[in-house]
Amino acid sequence: MKEIEKTAIEEISKTQTQEELERVRLKYLGKKGIITEKLSGLSKLALPEKKMVGKELNIIKKNITDAIEKHSSEIKKNVLSDISKNVIDTTLPGKPFDFGKLHPLTQVMNEVKNIFVNLGFNIATGPEIETDYYNFTALNIPKDHPSRDMQDTFYIGEQGNNGTMKQELLLRTHTSPVQVRVMENQKPPIRIIAPGKVYRHEAVDASHSFVFHQVEGLAVDEDVTFADLKAVLEIFVKKMFGENIASRFRPSFFPFTEPSAEVDMQCLICKGKGCSVCSQTGWVELLGCGMVHPKVFEFVGYDTEKYTGYAFGIGIERVAMLKLGIDNMRLFYENDMDFLSQF
Ligand code: DAH
């Protein structure tokens, strides 16, 4: 046994790396190591012998363990001094790194903003935490409207002093409340877009997310007509998707506009011939719009005889998916480098 100890200590002292040292440790003290096997063989011995040999083995085990520890810290010390002796070649080139760039949604958002800024729109902003009044009431969305349902809206309770709800707060479900805030603070003429995040209480799938982006538009003045709205949105579609892309206005309903419309654009995939993306219709839905409802003007104290206006709301994820040919909205939020680096 003394012989084994001697060899082990010798082998330990010869190792130069932690890996080599570990190999020696396993050879003697590992599960199937020489010392370990001897220790488990003890049970076969008679009692007085067992005691004696066991004691001896444990001393050897401790000596080997101590030697390993001591040698391990020596190896560490050597490595450090090697570094200080310039064993590391600092003239070698560094690891290559990627340049950052704007997220595809930010790129599309910027493009949309640019188009409208070039048409004379200013950029307005509003809070993402809104009151029931701005998000719904002042937009002529009555108390029993389905979009007020808890399923669609994230409500936030703010406690008053006596434990009651002080004010009904929520995460805005659209950028339309910015229309109201702008009109409360400004007299016509108004020409703004309001880009930003909106929130809906819904399950995430390929075309839904609980947070997404919209760009709201609002123009109010004397003699603003539906023709102005049509012109502006047609220009938007052409600038965004190409000069030869047709768009059409389809009657629709929104509580805050009358008349209301949705704009469809020619399907980019089949160029209007009909395919699976456009359900064989040749058209895909793009945005909602309309002439500002007189009720909304009344809420902000505008003279409904004097002023007219149009409004629109564009879903940025939708525009980005069509423009970049992406069929799953979740890709925008997963921050997968292989996906992001393509744009
Ligand atoms: N706020 C609507 C939504 O989120 C979109 C919308 C439709 C905005 C028509 C408008 C509009 O300004 O006129 O679904």
Side-chain angles (χ1 to χ4, degrees), residues 120-143:
F121 287 77
N122 290 317
I123 292 180
T125 55
E128 287 171 23
I129 297 175
E130 263 299 3
T131 61
D132 182 274
Y133 177 79
Y134 287 105
N135 197 76
F136 294 126
T137 308
L139 288 163
N140 191 36
I141 303 177
K143 275 279 177 212

mmCIF file of all heavy atoms in Angstrom, residues 120-143:
data_model
loop_
_atom_site.group_PDB
_atom_site.id
_atom_site.type_symbol
_atom_site.label_atom_id
_atom_site.label_comp_id
_atom_site.label_asym_id
_atom_site.label_seq_id
_atom_site.Cartn_x
_atom_site.Cartn_y
_atom_site.Cartn_z
ATOM 1 N N GLY A 120 -46.608 66.106 -44.829
ATOM 2 C CA GLY A 120 -46.955 67.250 -43.993
ATOM 3 C C GLY A 120 -47.552 66.919 -42.641
ATOM 4 O O GLY A 120 -48.089 67.796 -41.964
ATOM 5 N N PHE A 121 -47.467 65.661 -42.209
ATOM 6 C CA PHE A 121 -48.001 65.280 -40.893
ATOM 7 C C PHE A 121 -46.931 65.468 -39.818
ATOM 8 O O PHE A 121 -45.747 65.237 -40.062
ATOM 9 C CB PHE A 121 -48.444 63.815 -40.897
ATOM 10 C CG PHE A 121 -49.717 63.561 -41.662
ATOM 11 C CD1 PHE A 121 -49.718 63.508 -43.055
ATOM 12 C CD2 PHE A 121 -50.925 63.389 -40.992
ATOM 13 C CE1 PHE A 121 -50.892 63.284 -43.768
ATOM 14 C CE2 PHE A 121 -52.101 63.157 -41.694
ATOM 15 C CZ PHE A 121 -52.089 63.110 -43.086
ATOM 16 N N ASN A 122 -47.362 65.921 -38.646
ATOM 17 C CA ASN A 122 -46.462 65.989 -37.487
ATOM 18 C C ASN A 122 -46.631 64.733 -36.646
ATOM 19 O O ASN A 122 -47.670 64.083 -36.705
ATOM 20 C CB ASN A 122 -46.796 67.205 -36.611
ATOM 21 C CG ASN A 122 -46.434 68.493 -37.307
ATOM 22 O OD1 ASN A 122 -45.369 68.607 -37.920
ATOM 23 N ND2 ASN A 122 -47.337 69.459 -37.226
ATOM 24 N N ILE A 123 -45.604 64.432 -35.839
ATOM 25 C CA ILE A 123 -45.685 63.238 -35.003
ATOM 26 C C ILE A 123 -46.160 63.619 -33.605
ATOM 27 O O ILE A 123 -45.628 64.530 -32.977
ATOM 28 C CB ILE A 123 -44.332 62.507 -34.958
ATOM 29 C CG1 ILE A 123 -44.048 61.939 -36.351
ATOM 30 C CG2 ILE A 123 -44.337 61.410 -33.897
ATOM 31 C CD1 ILE A 123 -42.768 61.177 -36.504
ATOM 32 N N ALA A 124 -47.210 62.941 -33.134
ATOM 33 C CA ALA A 124 -47.745 63.180 -31.791
ATOM 34 C C ALA A 124 -47.619 61.886 -30.982
ATOM 35 O O ALA A 124 -47.551 60.804 -31.552
ATOM 36 C CB ALA A 124 -49.208 63.588 -31.879
ATOM 37 N N THR A 125 -47.572 62.025 -29.666
ATOM 38 C CA THR A 125 -47.522 60.823 -28.824
ATOM 39 C C THR A 125 -48.524 60.938 -27.689
ATOM 40 O O THR A 125 -48.988 62.038 -27.368
ATOM 41 C CB THR A 125 -46.123 60.607 -28.206
ATOM 42 O OG1 THR A 125 -45.762 61.795 -27.511
ATOM 43 C CG2 THR A 125 -45.083 60.287 -29.255
ATOM 44 N N GLY A 126 -48.839 59.809 -27.097
ATOM 45 C CA GLY A 126 -49.726 59.791 -25.942
ATOM 46 C C GLY A 126 -49.320 58.655 -25.029
ATOM 47 O O GLY A 126 -48.500 57.822 -25.418
ATOM 48 N N PRO A 127 -49.888 58.598 -23.814
ATOM 49 C CA PRO A 127 -49.480 57.564 -22.848
ATOM 50 C C PRO A 127 -49.989 56.178 -23.226
ATOM 51 O O PRO A 127 -51.045 56.054 -23.844
ATOM 52 C CB PRO A 127 -50.132 58.037 -21.543
ATOM 53 C CG PRO A 127 -51.300 58.843 -21.983
ATOM 54 C CD PRO A 127 -50.918 59.495 -23.273
ATOM 55 N N GLU A 128 -49.204 55.150 -22.845
ATOM 56 C CA GLU A 128 -49.660 53.773 -23.079
ATOM 57 C C GLU A 128 -50.641 53.347 -21.989
ATOM 58 O O GLU A 128 -51.477 52.487 -22.211
ATOM 59 C CB GLU A 128 -48.455 52.822 -23.141
ATOM 60 C CG GLU A 128 -47.677 53.003 -24.431
ATOM 61 C CD GLU A 128 -46.364 52.253 -24.481
ATOM 62 O OE1 GLU A 128 -46.191 51.252 -23.753
ATOM 63 O OE2 GLU A 128 -45.483 52.677 -25.253
ATOM 64 N N ILE A 129 -50.516 53.929 -20.809
ATOM 65 C CA ILE A 129 -51.521 53.713 -19.759
ATOM 66 C C ILE A 129 -52.560 54.814 -19.927
ATOM 67 O O ILE A 129 -52.239 55.994 -19.812
ATOM 68 C CB ILE A 129 -50.892 53.759 -18.357
ATOM 69 C CG1 ILE A 129 -49.889 52.620 -18.202
ATOM 70 C CG2 ILE A 129 -51.967 53.672 -17.276
ATOM 71 C CD1 ILE A 129 -49.125 52.656 -16.893
ATOM 72 N N GLU A 130 -53.775 54.411 -20.252
ATOM 73 C CA GLU A 130 -54.820 55.376 -20.581
ATOM 74 C C GLU A 130 -55.986 55.281 -19.594
ATOM 75 O O GLU A 130 -56.085 54.333 -18.823
ATOM 76 C CB GLU A 130 -55.336 55.094 -21.999
ATOM 77 C CG GLU A 130 -54.706 55.969 -23.078
ATOM 78 C CD GLU A 130 -54.975 57.458 -22.882
ATOM 79 O OE1 GLU A 130 -55.604 57.855 -21.869
ATOM 80 O OE2 GLU A 130 -54.549 58.255 -23.733
ATOM 81 N N THR A 131 -56.849 56.250 -19.696
ATOM 82 C CA THR A 131 -58.095 56.163 -18.930
ATOM 83 C C THR A 131 -59.185 55.633 -19.853
ATOM 84 O O THR A 131 -59.071 55.689 -21.077
ATOM 85 C CB THR A 131 -58.532 57.544 -18.424
ATOM 86 O OG1 THR A 131 -58.761 58.390 -19.561
ATOM 87 C CG2 THR A 131 -57.467 58.162 -17.536
ATOM 88 N N ASP A 132 -60.203 55.113 -19.238
ATOM 89 C CA ASP A 132 -61.369 54.619 -19.963
ATOM 90 C C ASP A 132 -61.930 55.726 -20.859
ATOM 91 O O ASP A 132 -62.355 55.478 -21.980
ATOM 92 C CB ASP A 132 -62.412 54.184 -18.924
ATOM 93 C CG ASP A 132 -63.643 53.602 -19.568
ATOM 94 O OD1 ASP A 132 -64.559 54.383 -19.929
ATOM 95 O OD2 ASP A 132 -63.689 52.382 -19.715
ATOM 96 N N TYR A 133 -61.868 56.970 -20.364
ATOM 97 C CA TYR A 133 -62.438 58.092 -21.097
ATOM 98 C C TYR A 133 -61.763 58.263 -22.467
ATOM 99 O O TYR A 133 -62.419 58.311 -23.497
ATOM 100 C CB TYR A 133 -62.310 59.382 -20.284
ATOM 101 C CG TYR A 133 -62.820 60.595 -21.047
ATOM 102 C CD1 TYR A 133 -64.187 60.851 -21.149
ATOM 103 C CD2 TYR A 133 -61.935 61.462 -21.694
ATOM 104 C CE1 TYR A 133 -64.665 61.940 -21.877
ATOM 105 C CE2 TYR A 133 -62.393 62.550 -22.419
ATOM 106 C CZ TYR A 133 -63.758 62.788 -22.507
ATOM 107 O OH TYR A 133 -64.222 63.856 -23.238
ATOM 108 N N TYR A 134 -60.426 58.331 -22.475
ATOM 109 C CA TYR A 134 -59.722 58.577 -23.741
ATOM 110 C C TYR A 134 -59.740 57.366 -24.664
ATOM 111 O O TYR A 134 -59.819 57.497 -25.884
ATOM 112 C CB TYR A 134 -58.275 59.004 -23.484
ATOM 113 C CG TYR A 134 -58.164 60.405 -22.962
ATOM 114 C CD1 TYR A 134 -57.878 60.652 -21.628
ATOM 115 C CD2 TYR A 134 -58.362 61.491 -23.814
ATOM 116 C CE1 TYR A 134 -57.786 61.942 -21.145
ATOM 117 C CE2 TYR A 134 -58.270 62.785 -23.343
ATOM 118 C CZ TYR A 134 -57.982 63.010 -22.001
ATOM 119 O OH TYR A 134 -57.893 64.286 -21.532
ATOM 120 N N ASN A 135 -59.625 56.168 -24.079
ATOM 121 C CA ASN A 135 -59.539 54.972 -24.914
ATOM 122 C C ASN A 135 -60.898 54.594 -25.522
ATOM 123 O O ASN A 135 -60.950 54.040 -26.615
ATOM 124 C CB ASN A 135 -58.998 53.802 -24.101
ATOM 125 C CG ASN A 135 -58.494 52.653 -24.972
ATOM 126 O OD1 ASN A 135 -57.418 52.714 -25.555
ATOM 127 N ND2 ASN A 135 -59.300 51.599 -25.096
ATOM 128 N N PHE A 136 -61.982 54.911 -24.790
ATOM 129 C CA PHE A 136 -63.306 54.478 -25.245
ATOM 130 C C PHE A 136 -64.317 55.620 -25.343
ATOM 131 O O PHE A 136 -64.781 55.963 -26.428
ATOM 132 C CB PHE A 136 -63.855 53.390 -24.305
ATOM 133 C CG PHE A 136 -63.086 52.110 -24.318
ATOM 134 C CD1 PHE A 136 -62.597 51.560 -23.134
ATOM 135 C CD2 PHE A 136 -62.846 51.434 -25.508
ATOM 136 C CE1 PHE A 136 -61.894 50.363 -23.143
ATOM 137 C CE2 PHE A 136 -62.145 50.235 -25.526
ATOM 138 C CZ PHE A 136 -61.668 49.696 -24.336
ATOM 139 N N THR A 137 -64.665 56.196 -24.186
ATOM 140 C CA THR A 137 -65.815 57.104 -24.122
ATOM 141 C C THR A 137 -65.730 58.239 -25.134
ATOM 142 O O THR A 137 -66.656 58.459 -25.917
ATOM 143 C CB THR A 137 -65.937 57.694 -22.702
ATOM 144 O OG1 THR A 137 -65.925 56.616 -21.777
ATOM 145 C CG2 THR A 137 -67.221 58.498 -22.550
ATOM 146 N N ALA A 138 -64.603 58.957 -25.146
ATOM 147 C CA ALA A 138 -64.470 60.118 -26.017
ATOM 148 C C ALA A 138 -64.360 59.716 -27.487
ATOM 149 O O ALA A 138 -64.420 60.556 -28.379
ATOM 150 C CB ALA A 138 -63.256 60.951 -25.608
ATOM 151 N N LEU A 139 -64.189 58.405 -27.731
ATOM 152 C CA LEU A 139 -64.153 57.923 -29.118
ATOM 153 C C LEU A 139 -65.502 57.323 -29.511
ATOM 154 O O LEU A 139 -65.591 56.549 -30.472
ATOM 155 C CB LEU A 139 -63.035 56.893 -29.293
ATOM 156 C CG LEU A 139 -61.624 57.490 -29.261
ATOM 157 C CD1 LEU A 139 -60.571 56.407 -29.017
ATOM 158 C CD2 LEU A 139 -61.313 58.230 -30.567
ATOM 159 N N ASN A 140 -66.523 57.671 -28.723
ATOM 160 C CA ASN A 140 -67.873 57.241 -29.036
ATOM 161 C C ASN A 140 -68.031 55.720 -28.985
ATOM 162 O O ASN A 140 -68.785 55.144 -29.757
ATOM 163 C CB ASN A 140 -68.277 57.778 -30.429
ATOM 164 C CG ASN A 140 -69.753 57.600 -30.704
ATOM 165 O OD1 ASN A 140 -70.583 57.722 -29.790
ATOM 166 N ND2 ASN A 140 -70.095 57.295 -31.943
ATOM 167 N N ILE A 141 -67.246 55.081 -28.111
ATOM 168 C CA ILE A 141 -67.419 53.639 -27.921
ATOM 169 C C ILE A 141 -68.292 53.452 -26.686
ATOM 170 O O ILE A 141 -67.847 53.683 -25.561
ATOM 171 C CB ILE A 141 -66.066 52.919 -27.742
ATOM 172 C CG1 ILE A 141 -65.162 53.204 -28.950
ATOM 173 C CG2 ILE A 141 -66.284 51.417 -27.580
ATOM 174 C CD1 ILE A 141 -63.774 52.606 -28.860
ATOM 175 N N PRO A 142 -69.561 53.098 -26.878
ATOM 176 C CA PRO A 142 -70.495 53.054 -25.758
ATOM 177 C C PRO A 142 -70.145 51.969 -24.743
ATOM 178 O O PRO A 142 -69.369 51.061 -25.036
ATOM 179 C CB PRO A 142 -71.845 52.774 -26.427
ATOM 180 C CG PRO A 142 -71.529 52.243 -27.775
ATOM 181 C CD PRO A 142 -70.180 52.760 -28.154
ATOM 182 N N LYS A 143 -70.710 52.096 -23.552
ATOM 183 C CA LYS A 143 -70.390 51.193 -22.439
ATOM 184 C C LYS A 143 -70.570 49.715 -22.766
ATOM 185 O O LYS A 143 -69.877 48.874 -22.219
ATOM 186 C CB LYS A 143 -71.267 51.531 -21.205
ATOM 187 C CG LYS A 143 -70.683 52.649 -20.350
ATOM 188 C CD LYS A 143 -69.594 52.140 -19.401
ATOM 189 C CE LYS A 143 -68.984 53.295 -18.605
ATOM 190 N NZ LYS A 143 -67.565 53.094 -18.290
#
